[in-house]
Amino acid sequence: MIEEIKQLAHKQRDEVIEWRRWMHRHPDLSQEEYGTMAFVAERLTEMGLTPRTGIGRTGVMAMLRGGIDPDSYCVALRADYDALPITECTGLPFASENPGVMHACGHDMHTCSLLGAIKILIQLRERLHGSLMFIFEPSEEKYPGGARMMMEDGLFDEVTPDEIYSFHCLPEMDFGRVGMKKGKYMASTDELYWTVKGKGGHGATPHLNVDPILIASHIVIALQQVVSRNAAPMSPTVLTIGKIEDVGGRTNITPDTVKMEGIIRSFDPEWRLRTHELIRKISCGVAEAMGGECDLFVDYGYPPVINDDDCTQQVYDNACAFLGKENVEWLDLRMTAEDFAFFQQKIPSCYFRIGIHEPGTPFSNLHRPNLMVDERSLELANGLVAYNAVMALNNRIKQK
């Protein structure tokens, strides 16, 4: 089975790469993925499937019924396909043709790898014990998240999968390697939006003003105690302020208002809610003490990614068989976040990683304008994803 899948993956390598390059040239922002949705639906239709489109506005789902007892078990495979508001600077001949938009998180690689895996699985259909669900998710990068949007729009109304799997490329990991982690893997994430209000005026008469820039600066410093003095050392937490802007100031004008944006990430549900209280109390208290006001909006985001032990062990074992144990590793916690966690709250699952770094080349992280993907990783991914899906179905049937 492994050699057969590897041969099928190699045979379609060039086609999958061309799919990925098309997607890279034509990226769509979150909740605007109409072109991408049409592209994916067209590929699925060419393969003989009947895709459902428009789930969660711009999502796609298709089913593949296996040749043996198709109603006995269902395994879902998921890929995300939205891009980011980033101007690409890779210099690639297939660079983004959509100004200011780029697949800088590898979602084009995820989507086309899953399409490649589906093409393999269709050729193995008669040997599949059960059925497969293929989920192409929009808006992973933007709240409320495509996973939540698709479920609220009836994704699982007819069939709820017994297991679900997804992967994400990892640029700090070399091509040819994969990794995963049992249990807690990625953090919850909530977005924070502050409006700090003071009293503007001439910059040369500070005694007549209430400076919101100064207040905001003190809030930024004071908030560091949320992690350093309130979070338990064994409870990883990240608080980051990523944006500060005044509204109307200049060299000699103190503005009335300063706006700030940031994130809070953690793993423990109770501590997660406690951070919101602390951030609000500190922010409003500092502002009031300095003669101003502060409004804080917490946009409650994604839960933590928590992998099912059995599903993760299965991915590990299948990856070792497919790639060799020397190319598979157990990973550490990450403070990045993923709305795949919404699926995990409903279905046992594993979210794993596939390396995309070409050894010997400069490293560029996700969400950067020069992110590069070693395109050999597409062949590896579509083969591994297909093999894991076959084994997930067959193993569960054997257990029954």
Side-chain angles (χ1 to χ4, degrees), residues 141-385:
E141 299 285 0
K142 184 176 181 179
Y143 287 6
R148 180 176 170 183
M149 293 166 65
M150 292 184 79
M151 286 193 291
E152 290 176 349
D153 201 20
L155 175 64
F156 299 141
D157 281 358
E158 295 184 11
V159 178
T160 299
D162 297 285
E163 301 173 23
I164 185 168
Y165 296 89
S166 188
F167 79 89
H168 201 294
C169 62
L170 191 61
E172 57 261 49
M173 180 184 285
D174 285 347
F175 158 74
R177 299 188 62 79
V178 301
M180 63 288 298
K181 184 184 184 304
K182 293 180 180 180
K184 293 180 181 179
Y185 176 44
M186 297 170 68
S188 65
T189 181
D190 303 307
E191 292 184 353
L192 308 168
Y193 297 88
W194 293 264
T195 300
V196 181
K197 303 174 184 178
K199 179 183 177 184
H202 199 295
T205 58
H207 59 295
L208 302 178
N209 311 329
V210 177
D211 188 348
I213 295 177
L214 182 62
I215 295 172
S217 300
H218 278 270
I219 290 173
V220 171
I221 297 300
L223 287 175
Q224 303 312 301
Q225 66 184 284
V226 172
V227 176
S228 66
R229 288 298 177 266
N230 289 277
M234 67 290 297
S235 181
T237 310
V238 169
L239 171 60
T240 296
I241 288 113
K243 183 177 181 180
I244 301 177
E245 62 175 341
D246 68 74
V247 182
R250 51 168 288 183
T251 56
N252 64 345
I253 299 175
T254 297
D256 288 309
T257 304
V258 167
K259 292 184 179 292
M260 305 194 302
E261 299 177 7
I263 55 169
I264 181 71
R265 296 191 170 180
S266 60
F267 286 90
D268 181 81
E270 293 184 7
W271 167 238
R272 179 185 185 182
L273 295 176
R274 175 65 177 146
T275 64
H276 300 170
E277 298 176 9
L278 286 168
I279 291 167
R280 189 179 306 279
K281 185 175 181 179
I282 292 170
S283 301
C284 295
V286 168
E288 183 179 357
M290 298 181 69
E293 300 177 24
C294 180
D295 294 329
L296 173 67
F297 171 65
V298 179
D299 198 350
Y300 199 79
Y302 307 161
V305 169
I306 303 175
N307 284 330
D308 177 80
D309 286 356
D310 289 341
C311 291
T312 307
Q313 185 65 50
Q314 179 174 254
V315 174
Y316 178 84
D317 293 341
N318 293 336
C320 287
F322 196 82
L323 300 172
K325 189 173 182 179
E326 68 277 8
N327 294 311
V328 185
E329 60 185 270
W330 294 109
L331 301 176
D332 293 326
L333 286 172
R334 287 177 65 93
M335 299 309 294
T336 49
E338 243 283 353
D339 79 332
F340 184 72
F342 286 120
F343 291 134
Q344 292 187 312
Q345 291 183 323
K346 190 176 183 68
I347 303 165
S349 62
C350 176
Y351 184 86
F352 61 101
R353 297 283 178 167
I354 293 179
I356 60 168
H357 177 247
E358 182 179 353
T361 64
F363 164 76
S364 178
N365 204 355
L366 299 171
H367 291 211
R368 296 295 300 151
N370 56 345
L371 175 72
M372 302 287 277
V373 172
D374 187 328
E375 290 188 319
R376 294 177 296 172
S377 63
L378 279 87
E379 178 180 342
L380 181 155
N382 71 63
L384 176 59
V385 168

Side-chain angles (χ1 to χ4, degrees), residues 49 62-76 121-122 124-134 159-163 389-398 400:
L49 301 181
M63 296 290 300
L64 176 65
R65 291 173 63 80
I68 305 170
D69 201 6
D71 296 319
S72 61
Y73 207 79
C74 181
V75 169
L121 290 163
I122 288 173
L124 304 174
R125 180 202 298 252
E126 295 308 314
R127 284 177 275 171
L128 297 179
H129 294 73
S131 294
L132 293 166
M133 176 184 288
F134 308 120
V159 178
T160 299
D162 297 285
E163 301 173 23
V390 172
M391 297 305 293
L393 286 176
N394 291 353
N395 287 342
R396 297 308 181 187
I397 294 299
K398 289 177 183 178
K400 285 188 174 183

